[in-house]
Amino acid sequence: MFLISCPFCGEREQSEFKAGGEAHIVRPKQPTELSDDEWAEYLFMRKNIKGIQYERWNHIHGCRKWFNIIRDTSNDQIKAVYKMGEKPPVK
Amino acid sequence: MSNNLRFKTSKFIDETSRISFKFNNKTYFGFKGDTLASALLANGIHLIGRSFKYHRPRGIMTSGSEEPNAIIQLHDNSSRTEPNVRATEVEIYEGLVASSQNCWPSVNFDVGGINNLLSPILPAGFYYKTFMWPASFWEKYEYFIRKSAGLGKSPKVPDPDIYEHNYIHCDVLVIGAGISGIMAAKMAAKNGFKTLLVDEKSYLGGSSIYDSSEFSKINNQTTSSWLEKEINEISKLENLEIKIRTSIAAFHGYNFLLARENLTDHLPINQRENKVRHRLLKIRAKKVITATGSIERPLIFDNNDRPGILLSSAIKKYIDLYGVACGKNNVLFTNNDTVYETAMSLIQRGIKINAIIDNREQVDSKICYEVEKNNIKIYKGFSVVDTYGYRRINKISIMKLSKDGQTVIGDKTKLSCDCLGVSGGWTPAVHLFTQSGGKLKFREEDQVFIPDIYSSDQISIGSCNGDFSLEEIVKNTVSSLKKFLNIDNSEYKTIEIISGLNQSKRNIWLLPSDKSIGKTKSFVDYQNDATSKDIKLALREGFRSIEHVKRYTTTGMGTDQGKLGNMHALGIISETAGTKMGEHGTTTFRPPYTPLTFGTIVGRNVGEFFDIFRRTPIHDWHVANNAEFENVGQWKRAWYYPKENENMHQAVQRESKAARDSAGILDASTLGKIDIQGTDASEFLNRVYTNAWSKLAVGKCRYGLMLNEDGMVYDDGVTTRLGENHYIMTTTTGGAANVLGKLEDYLQTEWPELDVYLSSVTDHYATISVCGPNSKKIISKVIPDLDLSDEKFPHMSFKNAKIGNIKCRVMRISFTGEHSYEINIQANFGKSVWEKCMESGKEFNITPYGTETMHLLRAEKGFIIVGQDTDATLTPIDLQMDWIVSKKKYDFIGKRSLYRSDTIREDRKQLVGLLTENPEEVLEEGAQIVADIKKSPIEMLGHVTSSYYSPNLKKSIALGVVKGGKNMLGQKLIIPMENKNINVTVADPVFFDKEGERLNAKL
């Protein structure tokens, strides 16, 4: 069980959080303009990387805020934590 | 049995307190300080149980948690009974009862021993190969295989003991209180680190604490006396906590560890009352120092499993720590110097050593010379090729090893013995290190895996790090800790070590035999009866990966997880396959290190605390009025209220009829309630619901359907506009938490520009729904001030009201199709308002109804229940709810998905009504629906989602999903059941009052 530093609450146990999948997938502003394939790309296609992955997490049993983390999925080391809407820190 | 196996020299045994215990129904005596193993050995007992597959007699082999053979059933037949307990770890207490496992009728005569004779036809994979054909026979085979499988017996009644979980936070955790662990704890604690030291044993000091040999000295004192002073010193340190009988079960990432602290297992049963038995410690340490030591390796030769064959270090421990001689005529067999320490311990007490068999040609350390001086015959360059004796070893035969160690040569010599001590060198206990994500490297010189790359802030020290000589252990512990803790050592500045041992070793993984391998039984995994032959067979059959060989031969898959034999398995694989050791890696070390009881894992979460549940504010009334409950999410909901001898069906029929004929009352408090406020609240609802919300007037209610982005129905409920910028949303009972989470997600991540605030208020309000033709009269009595006229208070609207002085919200909404009201009031007034409604409704025979009747009534109206009639594969179009999907709105969650090529297919499963040909026949929910039963295979068209007998329609009704069902109105379909086929007709899903006359009736 790893520790996550919530940008609002500080370091807490992983059990307080919920993983929310890949980060930086923006909901299309005009879905109706998209082809089936383009919409499917947004809807279904996710990366599953062994290594550095950008992820959404939610402090669901704490402040309930969503934020992003950069995690190495091979060893669970968290490289960075940043708020929603912020740009990922340069590696 | 003679008692001259006990030597009164051990200060760890309290000879003044004699303890009696029972093993296999016979009473024996031991002393305080004994383990079950040491006490049995002192009574001359080696035979403990039978092996798993061949039922071979097995005895005590080790003195610790690595024990593969001496596993027993503790507390026979009592509620505390526990299988597979290692006799080497059980501290005896007055009244202990234990017995052998895996044998019938007794451990001395076991019918299953026939398997040993059959062993030539029971090779690795026997079961896989034999019971494959014919496939239909598997069920018959399985019955017998299951009967013979398993070791001990599980308890059949609840565990009477108490368990708990604790969290511990510390700066430094030291695992293992051997010599390096003690030194580490002292250095850490003295330098201001809040330190926790744990050890699985009941005493501190590890194997050094009973080492009073002249051949290993620290600062001119024996190791044990030097260490005793150290232990004495650290036990006074303030920021050091010491926990004995505490075994680390798991070492996870980020220095999170689980430990089991054993608090009462060493006490007599009558002293355990009301005490916590085991504590699961959840430890979060900033730094971890692993000092778990090493495990002595056995040697792999023919018949190396007989009772009386022990690890040489175990023999030493039994004599030094417990004052128990394992035999009176010992032979030691080794490939390294370790057994000479054992020999010295035996010599000192005058116990006979018949011979020492040493694989090495050259034996030249000081301690070896000392042993030789005592006229002990050492067979250098020899190997044991076989052993004899059924229930206890009585003879061995030895032969000279060839130069390359691949064969044995010359004549066979037989030597008598009643105990054989073996040593194949040492294996660092790297289990916890690898569990934590550490990477090992292989050290060629002495064929060991040692820690290489660490995954967190931790270090391994002592022999688990591959330091085996006393000098290396002490000096490397000091130097690596200085670095690791970033401290200046003042504790161990001058330390002088004298050691009489060399580290030379002649490693041969599988010792040669004069027989062909097919005729030998050289056990690699003792508990699972996996032999070198099995491993070679697996390789011949094409297995290459160590993980596959492990599973095929079951090597290392016993309760001991192969602590003794895994390295040999790897060695034999690489020797046979001609690859380099280390290339194969190791099998994965998984937690727990030693087995945990289920009690430890669940802690206090048993009985009513097993799973938390939520009760509505009106719960006590339901209980008092004989309600049966059903679990909905975490909630306990009133299911139905049986009267006298009513069964469920009768109660539901009565409740359903009463609700439509006069009045019914339902506790709807469990519905999720989300308070939504903010200037963009209307826009927000527009985006999350399929229908339009901007034009909903203040004071009005609207039903809404929520989709996932993939277009599938997610949740539904009525939302009420309380004010210009204020709504209250209701969700399904089970979906409340997820809906809130989803709404928060969109607000925070996709639409942060919206001014909207969400609060869950589910628990804050009690919700009471009163329905039926007399509901209006009842509510007018409960809230006389409220104008209930259709003009002032029409269907789908809300009013603020007061009951006495208490504010409440009243909605005129309906889930039954009846004229009905929903009162929402501060939760703590819920029960009294409910009672008031009951009293006011008495003259109208107001009938409380539960969830089953609610489901029936809504099914009559064809209203869906999300999660029962839907399953995340149905769009609103599939549900024939096109009316609720706004054509005008530019976007809402899931809109785009409603016209993907897949979602516009005509032959999707669609919700329809189903009427049985025989109106008395009630379908089974979940039953399959087909059109043609002659075709093979039969095409499945869908299934029944809801089914009831309607007392109001006096016939059976059902909802179901059917492929292309929308266009099948009136069509005949078939529900094939086990014994019959039921004919049904596709119907409109609204069965009752399609025009909604009852809702709009003037009352």
Side-chain angles (χ1 to χ4, degrees):
Chain A
M1 200 161 37
F2 41 95
L3 295 169
I4 298 173
S5 197
C6 168
F8 305 93
C9 307
E11 196 173 70
R12 295 288 192 278
E13 292 243 346
Q14 182 195 345
S15 58
E16 290 187 17
F17 297 87
K18 179 179 122 176
E22 192 181 332
H24 304 296
I25 293 174
V26 182
R27 188 176 190 271
K29 285 271 177 287
Q30 295 170 316
T32 45
E33 314 283 303
L34 300 182
S35 69
D36 269 13
D37 284 349
E38 287 165 333
W39 180 245
E41 182 68 27
Y42 158 72
L43 202 55
F44 302 121
M45 299 307 172
R46 296 294 182 270
K47 291 181 197 124
N48 187 13
I49 299 164
K50 183 179 180 183
I52 300 292
Q53 186 160 284
Y54 294 68
E55 300 173 335
R56 289 160 19 102
W57 282 74
N58 181 218
H59 194 186
I60 190 157
H61 299 298
C63 63
R64 294 188 70 89
K65 284 282 194 183
W66 284 91
F67 55 90
N68 298 311
I69 71 174
I70 304 175
R71 181 172 68 104
D72 187 334
T73 57
S74 67
N75 59 16
D76 284 339
Q77 293 305 311
I78 294 171
K79 307 290 178 194
V81 178
Y82 52 103
K83 292 178 185 174
M84 276 296 156
E86 287 180 358
K87 287 230 151 50
V90 186
K91 263 185 287 170
Chain B
M1 192 61 66
S2 67
N3 55 8
N4 53 0
L5 292 165
R6 178 78 75 170
F7 290 78
K8 302 192 175 194
T9 48
S10 169
K11 55 187 171 222
F12 300 93
I13 294 291
D14 177 3
E15 306 233 349
T16 59
S17 75
R18 208 167 80 130
I19 288 171
S20 74
F21 64 95
K22 270 189 178 170
F23 179 64
N24 286 338
N25 290 320
K26 207 176 154 207
T27 302
Y28 297 94
F29 295 95
F31 297 108
K32 193 165 193 300
D34 263 328
T35 61
L36 181 56
S38 70
L40 287 170
L41 289 170
N43 283 283
I45 294 173
H46 277 261
L47 175 59
I48 301 295
R50 293 282 179 152
S51 69
F52 185 54
K53 191 167 157 189
Y54 302 132
H55 290 250
R56 283 169 70 99
R58 289 285 165 80
I60 296 157
M61 182 145 194
T62 74
S63 58
S65 58
E66 67 273 29
E67 178 61 42
N69 287 339
I71 52 176
I72 48 112
Q73 185 90 25
L74 199 57
H75 316 290
D76 313 6
N77 298 326
S78 95
S79 55
R80 289 193 163 86
T81 195
E82 194 178 337
N84 308 339
V85 180
R86 291 163 297 285
T88 50
E89 288 196 301
V90 177
E91 296 172 56
I92 61 163
Y93 51 84
E94 188 60 39
L96 179 146
V97 179
S99 57
S100 297
Q101 295 185 159
N102 210 33
C103 52
W104 184 85
S106 81
V107 71
N108 281 307
F109 176 74
D110 172 23
V111 166
I114 188 89
N115 281 8
N116 189 37
L117 301 175
L118 298 176
S119 63
I121 59 161
L122 291 171
F126 169 73
Y127 291 92
Y128 303 135
K129 290 167 184 162
T130 312
F131 298 107
M132 290 288 290
W133 298 281
S136 59
F137 272 35
W138 170 248
E139 281 179 22
K140 292 191 177 65
Y141 294 141
E142 193 188 13
Y143 174 78
F144 290 102
I145 293 171
R146 292 236 181 267
K147 251 186 111 140
S148 63
L151 292 164
K153 293 185 173 59
S154 15
K156 296 209 163 68
V157 288
D159 188 339
D161 282 314
I162 307 167
Y163 302 83
E164 67 180 22
H165 293 178
N166 266 191
Y167 285 90
I168 294 184
H169 297 263
C170 59
D171 295 329
V172 175
L173 168 69
V174 183
I175 310 167
I179 189 161
S180 46
I182 296 282
M183 291 172 71
K186 180 172 155 186
M187 287 172 77
K190 280 211 161 184
N191 282 284
F193 293 95
K194 190 186 161 205
T195 306
L196 172 66
L197 172 65
V198 299
D199 195 282
E200 62 179 2
K201 302 256 175 4
S202 59
Y203 54 88
L204 298 174
S207 59
S208 302
I209 200 66
Y210 51 86
D211 186 6
S212 38
S213 152
E214 291 297 314
F215 293 94
S216 47
K217 288 186 142 188
I218 302 176
N219 290 345
N220 222 16
Q221 305 160 55
T222 61
T223 312
S224 61
S225 54
W226 182 83
L227 197 53
E228 265 169 46
K229 281 178 211 140
E230 291 289 306
I231 291 170
N232 196 30
E233 194 186 338
I234 63 163
S235 54
K236 292 173 193 140
L237 293 176
E238 263 191 10
N239 50 347
L240 173 64
E241 189 182 357
I242 300 171
K243 281 185 183 289
I244 53 167
R245 299 190 180 99
T246 300
S247 154
I248 298 290
F251 189 165
H252 296 295
Y254 284 68
N255 285 351
F256 179 68
L257 298 96
L258 296 176
R260 192 241 358 236
E261 186 180 14
N262 193 338
L263 298 155
T264 63
D265 280 356
H266 60 292
L267 300 175
I269 303 288
N270 59 12
Q271 287 176 33
R272 299 186 190 180
E273 203 68 16
N274 297 322
K275 287 184 186 147
V276 172
R277 182 189 175 203
H278 293 164
R279 206 175 263 152
L280 185 73
L281 307 175
K282 302 178 177 184
I283 306 169
R284 191 65 87 164
K286 291 199 182 103
K287 287 170 174 288
V288 177
I289 298 168
T290 306
T292 44
S294 49
I295 298 170
E296 193 171 17
R297 288 178 190 168
L299 290 163
I300 312 299
F301 52 93
D302 193 15
N303 289 313
N304 59 343
D305 66 325
R306 297 191 192 281
I309 301 179
L310 287 87
L311 296 178
S312 84
S313 60
I315 294 176
K316 178 172 157 58
K317 181 170 168 184
Y318 285 118
I319 190 70
D320 286 350
L321 188 75
Y322 304 103
V324 174
C326 294
K328 292 176 182 171
N329 180 24
N330 298 278
V331 171
L332 301 173
F333 178 26
T334 190
N335 66 11
N336 69 96
D337 268 7
T338 309
V339 303
Y340 295 92
E341 290 186 295
T342 308
M344 286 312 297
S345 287
L346 295 173
I347 289 165
Q348 271 166 28
R349 289 167 184 84
I351 302 165
K352 185 184 167 192
I353 301 171
N354 195 5
I356 294 178
I357 322 298
D358 198 320
N359 281 347
R360 298 171 297 177
E361 295 283 346
Q362 289 283 320
V363 180
D364 51 13
S365 59
K366 260 194 247 166
I367 195 166
C368 303
Y369 289 133
E370 185 67 24
V371 171
E372 258 183 323
K373 256 194 260 170
N374 281 279
N375 294 319
I376 309 285
K377 168 81 179 159
I378 302 177
Y379 290 88
K380 293 173 194 167
F382 273 79
S383 180
V384 175
V385 290
D386 203 353
T387 70
Y388 311 89
Y390 186 56
R391 294 188 190 98
R392 169 99 181 249
I393 189 168
N394 56 29
K395 253 195 306 283
I396 60 168
S397 55
I398 64 169
M399 286 174 86
K400 180 89 179 153
L401 275 169
S402 65
K403 263 217 158 66
D404 62 0
Q406 296 299 301
T407 50
V408 278
I409 47 179
D411 293 332
K412 207 187 268 189
T413 309
K414 288 200 175 174
L415 298 169
S416 71
C417 66
D418 62 356
C419 178
L420 174 66
V422 294
S423 177
W426 295 83
T427 299
V430 293
H431 310 69
L432 295 176
F433 164 80
T434 47
Q435 276 182 26
S436 76
K439 298 275 175 288
L440 297 165
K441 68 178 171 207
F442 188 69
R443 193 166 69 190
E444 279 292 334
E445 308 94 88
D446 53 352
Q447 304 275 300
V448 291
F449 282 102
I450 52 171
D452 186 19
I453 300 162
Y454 294 97
S455 65
S456 63
D457 197 1
Q458 55 163 306
I459 192 170
S460 291
I461 55 168
S463 63
C464 72
N465 194 39
D467 292 341
F468 294 121
S469 77
L470 185 62
E471 181 155 16
E472 275 180 336
I473 289 173
V474 171
K475 298 214 156 144
N476 292 347
T477 293
V478 173
S479 63
S480 47
L481 279 181
K482 276 166 73 176
K483 230 188 274 167
F484 180 63
L485 298 174
N486 194 22
I487 52 171
D488 200 26
N489 166 47
S490 54
E491 305 304 323
Y492 301 107
K493 271 198 176 131
T494 52
I495 204 150
E496 285 302 319
I497 310 287
I498 301 168
S499 174
L501 273 70
N502 282 353
Q503 295 303 314
S504 83
K505 184 171 157 186
R506 185 183 188 187
N507 197 78
I508 304 168
W509 291 114
L510 173 60
L511 291 161
S513 169
D514 56 327
K515 294 184 218 158
S516 71
I517 184 157
K519 296 224 161 75
T520 65
K521 271 204 198 78
S522 318
F523 289 89
V524 177
D525 182 316
Y526 299 85
Q527 196 179 99
N528 274 351
D529 277 345
T531 63
S532 56
K533 195 164 54 182
D534 294 323
I535 293 173
K536 293 203 170 198
L537 175 70
L539 289 165
R540 275 208 307 280
E541 293 187 354
F543 291 93
R544 284 293 172 272
S545 150
I546 170 68
E547 296 284 2
H548 290 157
V549 174
K550 167 182 166 174
R551 281 156 184 80
Y552 189 56
T553 62
T554 70
T555 303
M557 289 172 71
T559 60
D560 61 326
Q561 293 279 288
K563 290 187 181 70
L564 294 186
N566 275 355
M567 282 299 293
H568 304 81
L570 286 170
I572 292 167
I573 289 169
S574 71
E575 274 174 4
T576 310
T579 50
K580 266 181 93 178
M581 185 77 175
E583 272 176 21
H584 296 276
T586 62
T587 51
T588 312
F589 296 90
R590 291 195 182 82
Y593 178 66
T594 46
L596 292 174
T597 53
F598 281 112
T600 312
I601 295 165
V602 296
R604 298 270 174 150
N605 302 322
V606 290
E608 63 173 311
F609 304 116
F610 180 68
D611 196 11
I612 52 167
F613 60 85
R614 300 164 81 182
R615 283 173 287 211
T616 77
I618 309 162
H619 185 86
D620 291 348
W621 190 93
H622 305 316
V623 174
N625 286 272
N626 205 25
E628 292 290 332
F629 290 88
E630 77 166 329
N631 298 327
V632 183
Q634 290 170 326
W635 290 98
K636 290 273 171 207
R637 290 200 74 175
W639 192 10
Y640 59 96
Y641 301 80
K643 274 188 177 172
E644 279 118 46
N645 300 321
E646 273 182 346
N647 62 23
M648 178 172 166
H649 175 74
Q650 290 162 334
V652 170
Q653 294 292 305
R654 172 180 52 75
E655 290 170 14
S656 304
K657 195 99 180 55
R660 294 226 190 275
D661 288 352
S662 176
I665 181 167
L666 171 82
D667 179 1
S669 306
T670 64
L671 288 180
K673 303 175 222 25
I674 301 170
D675 188 272
I676 303 173
Q677 302 192 39
T679 50
D680 293 318
S682 303
E683 171 60 19
F684 181 62
L685 290 174
N686 260 336
R687 296 186 191 187
V688 300
Y689 276 134
T690 59
N691 47 350
W693 289 77
S694 341
K695 285 186 188 138
L696 184 71
V698 175
K700 295 285 181 193
C701 315
R702 182 165 287 173
Y703 173 78
L705 200 61
M706 203 179 283
L707 309 184
N708 260 332
E709 206 66 272
D710 63 5
M712 304 304 157
V713 172
Y714 184 70
D715 205 81
D716 68 346
V718 171
T719 291
T720 303
R721 190 166 196 174
L722 301 172
E724 181 59 30
N725 298 318
H726 191 189
Y727 291 84
I728 181 120
M729 171 188 281
T730 57
T731 72
T732 58
T733 298
N738 290 337
V739 169
L740 179 69
K742 182 184 163 93
L743 299 184
E744 284 178 335
D745 187 353
Y746 274 92
L747 265 184
Q748 288 179 34
T749 65
E750 298 296 350
W751 310 317
E753 71 281 3
L754 292 186
D755 176 44
V756 176
Y757 303 90
L758 307 171
S759 316
S760 167
V761 293
T762 304
D763 292 322
H764 303 58
Y765 293 95
T767 304
I768 299 162
S769 170
V770 179
C771 77
N774 285 317
S775 59
K776 192 172 180 176
K777 290 176 194 143
I778 295 166
I779 296 300
S780 69
K781 281 172 77 179
V782 177
I783 321 172
D785 299 340
L786 189 61
D787 183 348
L788 296 180
S789 67
D790 285 340
E791 297 71 39
K792 288 277 190 244
F793 198 3
H795 182 55
M796 295 308 267
S797 64
F798 122 92
K799 290 277 180 261
N800 280 313
K802 270 187 170 180
I803 301 177
N805 285 323
I806 314 304
K807 282 195 262 183
C808 64
R809 292 174 184 151
V810 185
M811 280 85 168
R812 198 182 145 189
I813 52 181
S814 174
F815 191 42
T816 58
E818 293 299 317
H819 191 106
S820 92
Y821 299 91
E822 215 176 86
I823 303 170
N824 286 275
I825 192 152
Q826 198 177 308
N828 49 332
F829 296 108
K831 188 159 164 267
S832 61
V833 171
W834 175 279
E835 282 161 349
K836 202 176 163 95
C837 292
M838 286 303 295
E839 198 190 303
S840 308
K842 210 170 183 178
E843 56 176 304
F844 306 104
N845 183 32
I846 189 168
T847 302
Y849 65 91
T851 49
E852 193 62 22
T853 293
M854 173 185 86
H855 286 187
L856 191 160
L857 295 174
R858 64 86 208 178
E860 288 177 341
K861 288 291 296 173
F863 295 149
I864 60 156
I865 289 188
V866 174
Q868 175 161 343
D869 301 297
T870 74
D871 61 0
T873 64
L874 296 170
T875 69
I877 318 301
D878 299 335
L879 295 171
Q880 306 215 46
M881 290 172 78
D882 315 45
W883 53 270
I884 202 167
V885 180
S886 164
K887 303 272 180 311
K888 289 183 199 139
K889 282 201 291 183
Y890 179 70
D891 192 16
F892 56 83
I893 296 172
K895 178 178 166 109
R896 175 61 187 83
S897 291
L898 294 180
Y899 54 94
R900 291 179 55 238
S901 59
D902 184 56
T903 47
I904 53 172
R905 279 189 296 116
E906 284 292 313
D907 63 344
R908 288 179 63 81
K909 283 184 184 169
Q910 289 142 358
L911 187 81
V912 294
L914 297 167
L915 290 171
T916 48
E917 199 172 70
N918 171 3
E920 299 299 314
E921 180 105 63
V922 180
L923 298 173
E924 266 185 47
E925 287 174 2
Q928 292 293 324
I929 303 169
V930 307
D932 185 357
I933 47 169
K934 290 190 192 88
K935 208 166 81 183
S936 179
I938 302 176
E939 192 194 356
M940 303 295 181
L941 294 180
H943 65 276
V944 179
T945 61
S946 295
S947 173
Y948 307 90
Y949 184 81
S950 161
N952 300 303
L953 294 159
K954 295 198 174 57
K955 65 179 180 189
S956 149
I957 56 166
L959 299 172
V961 288
V962 178
K963 275 185 194 165
K966 218 185 270 191
N967 299 320
M968 290 168 92
L969 207 64
Q971 203 165 314
K972 302 253 187 265
L973 293 173
I974 300 164
I975 316 273
M977 298 304 290
E978 204 174 351
N979 304 316
K980 60 183 168 186
N981 295 322
I982 303 169
N983 295 322
V984 295
T985 309
V986 176
D988 188 288
V990 184
F991 301 101
F992 185 80
D993 184 27
K994 190 164 174 141
E995 280 66 48
E997 282 167 11
R998 299 176 71 90
L999 216 48
N1000 302 318
K1002 290 278 171 215
L1003 296 174

